[in-house]
């Protein structure tokens, strides 16, 4: 068997911690507004997907982890810059307050101007999609606007419980 570097061992330990944290956080609850409780997807005190998916077994997760550690990744990064237009705070403020505007910020992040209010959806501004600043997938290029240049944010929506949001 091929000898693994200390970096790969640290990565395996880190992934184990993240998987454990996700399992612990999956039981967190939030208050649900009464109108949402009438949704067809809401029953027994929680929301349910309409399409059932099988939860991966521990064995399947270990197979995936083994492949990830031992196999070389192919085409993991773009060979040329991705199409992107930068946006300034002045441009955002110039957008109409009587309409809905969506600005894709990369990864799964979106900035919305909703009738004058600014909403951030799944914000990711870090250099890496990782709970650690020194390892994990690196950003391909900067965001279209730096976090320091954002207008005051009125609402933040997190759609899923990944550690990078």
């Amino acid at each position: 068997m091929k000898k693994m570097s200390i970096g790969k061992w640290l990565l395996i330990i880190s992934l184990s911690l993240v998987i454990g944290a996700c399992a612990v956080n999956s039981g967190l609850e939030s208050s649900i507004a009464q109108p949402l409780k009438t949704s067809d997807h809401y029953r027994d005190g929680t929301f349910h997907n309409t399409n059932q998916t099988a939860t991966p077994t521990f064995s399947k997760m270990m197979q995936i982890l083994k492949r990830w550690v031992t196999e070389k990744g192919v085409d993991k990064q773009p060979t040329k810059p991705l199409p992107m237009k930068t946006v300034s705070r002045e441009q955002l403020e110039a957008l109409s307050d009587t309409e809905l505007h969506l600005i894709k910020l990369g990864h799964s992040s979106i900035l919305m101007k909703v009738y004058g209010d600014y909403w951030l959806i799944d914000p990711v501004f870090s250099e890496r999609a990782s709970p650690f600043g020194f390892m994990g997938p690196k950003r391909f290029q900067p965001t279209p606007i730096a976090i320091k240049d954002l207008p005051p944010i009125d609402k933040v929506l997190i759609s899923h419980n990944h550690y990078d949001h």
Side-chain angles (χ1 to χ4, degrees):
M1 185 171 159
K2 192 170 137 182
K3 192 173 182 180
M4 285 195 296
S5 69
I6 192 77
K8 285 192 177 180
W9 276 113
L10 284 172
L11 188 57
I12 290 170
I13 292 167
S14 301
L15 284 172
S16 299
L17 291 171
V18 168
I19 291 168
C22 289
V24 168
N25 289 332
S26 66
L28 296 177
E29 293 183 28
S30 62
S31 62
I32 306 295
Q34 190 58 40
L36 293 177
K37 290 182 180 182
T38 61
S39 165
D40 292 342
H41 301 276
Y42 188 80
R43 63 183 177 282
D44 302 325
T46 187
F47 287 93
H48 298 268
N49 290 329
T50 54
N51 296 331
Q52 294 300 317
T53 56
T55 303
T57 63
F58 181 76
S59 172
K60 182 66 175 174
M61 292 298 290
M62 290 299 103
Q63 289 172 6
I64 292 169
L65 182 60
K66 179 184 174 193
R67 286 187 62 205
W68 187 77
V69 169
T70 60
E71 292 180 16
K72 181 176 167 56
V74 178
D75 296 330
K76 293 172 76 172
Q77 293 188 6
T79 56
K80 57 185 180 180
L82 300 171
M84 179 185 76
K85 292 182 182 179
T86 58
V87 63
S88 69
R89 184 167 177 172
E90 293 76 27
Q91 289 173 306
L92 294 171
E93 290 172 352
L95 295 171
S96 160
D97 288 346
T98 60
E99 296 177 300
L100 175 68
H101 304 276
L102 300 170
I103 298 95
K104 177 95 169 115
L105 298 178
H107 192 61
S108 64
S109 304
I110 297 172
L111 175 65
M112 294 174 47
K113 187 171 184 182
V114 182
Y115 306 107
D117 287 346
Y118 292 99
W119 295 25
L120 263 177
I121 313 297
D122 295 325
V124 177
F125 287 88
S126 60
E127 181 67 22
R128 296 180 180 274
S130 169
F132 308 102
F134 60 90
M135 64 185 216
K138 227 177 169 184
R139 196 177 263 293
F140 297 136
Q141 58 201 38
T143 56
I145 187 170
I147 197 166
K148 67 179 179 50
D149 297 327
L150 288 171
I153 303 300
D154 297 290
K155 293 179 175 55
V156 176
L157 173 69
I158 308 296
S159 71
H160 58 290
N161 66 348
H162 289 175
Y163 51 81
D164 55 351
H165 297 287

